[in-house]
Amino acid sequence: MRQRQILAAIVAGSAFTPSVTPVKAEDASWGCQVLLCAASQNPSWHGVSYCVPPMTKLIAAMKEPGFSWPICHEAKAGKPGHETYEDCPSGTTVGSSSQTANGWSSEPDQCIKTVDICRFPGQRASEGNQSNVVIRQSFGDRGDSCSQQIATPRPRRADPYYFDIPDGQGVKQRFWFNLNH
């Protein structure tokens, strides 16, 4: 259903004159084929036989020097965005598990929760029993701080790429997808 809505938006937004011949997805430009397939949700593009050739072509083209995303100008969606990680849960902040040589944090791959261990002494023990949890304690000048940071790995998105596709009124809807075979 969503594919038909997107195809309709692409066709409606195009500068082509109306035709009595039905419009087929196969007749769309490569950029519009990629957009249409990327927006396929149930099933994803992997399960739509029409989508495998244009998406496989895209994946191969991405490996070439000077690659540029094919754009569907009629849909006014532009290039896709990319977000590797899910949002951190409420009450946590984004952090990093390592730092580079110049002191700047590297990849934002952690969710950090700051806990007052003096006020909630049981928090440390319950959080610390998880195997994927890293506990960082910070101490004041005299070693008397009550702050403790509990870091957990930030979940990776199964579908890290997205297109924001505007509807007829210009309201954008986000469609997440992946490029895994």
Side-chain angles (χ1 to χ4, degrees):
M1 181 65 169
R2 282 185 169 173
Q3 276 188 314
R4 288 185 185 147
Q5 292 171 335
I6 293 167
L7 183 59
I10 292 169
V11 172
S14 71
F16 301 113
T17 55
S19 169
V20 253
T21 310
V23 177
K24 296 180 184 175
E26 295 86 4
D27 297 335
S29 69
W30 181 38
C32 291
Q33 290 173 354
V34 166
L35 180 69
L36 179 65
C37 291
S40 180
Q41 302 294 302
N42 193 10
S44 72
W45 70 265
H46 304 89
V48 179
S49 60
Y50 155 78
C51 290
V52 175
M55 296 303 277
T56 302
K57 178 181 173 183
L58 172 71
I59 293 165
M62 289 175 75
K63 297 174 185 172
E64 299 296 321
F67 168 75
S68 182
W69 274 91
I71 303 296
C72 180
H73 297 284
E74 296 85 359
K76 298 179 178 82
K79 295 179 183 179
H82 185 270
E83 292 182 14
T84 303
Y85 297 100
E86 296 282 350
D87 293 335
C88 283
S90 179
T92 63
T93 58
V94 174
S96 175
S97 60
S98 62
Q99 291 184 342
T100 61
N102 65 4
W104 292 99
S105 293
S106 62
E107 193 171 21
D109 61 352
Q110 299 283 303
C111 294
I112 310 290
K113 181 177 183 179
T114 302
V115 179
D116 180 346
I117 58 174
C118 295
R119 190 167 169 198
F120 303 106
Q123 186 76 32
R124 178 179 179 185
S126 66
E127 293 281 0
N129 290 335
Q130 299 174 17
S131 61
N132 62 350
V133 171
V134 176
I135 298 175
R136 302 176 187 140
Q137 276 188 276
S138 57
F139 297 99
D141 293 338
R142 300 180 311 204
D144 58 356
S145 174
C146 288
S147 292
Q148 182 180 62
Q149 288 186 331
I150 301 169
T152 55
R154 193 170 172 198
R156 290 185 173 267
R157 289 186 184 277
D159 298 328
Y161 292 93
Y162 63 89
F163 277 109
D164 288 331
I165 304 172
D167 64 12
Q169 289 74 42
V171 177
K172 292 183 179 182
Q173 184 173 358
R174 184 160 286 181
F175 293 88
W176 293 92
F177 66 100
N178 69 58
L179 295 175
N180 300 328
H181 287 288

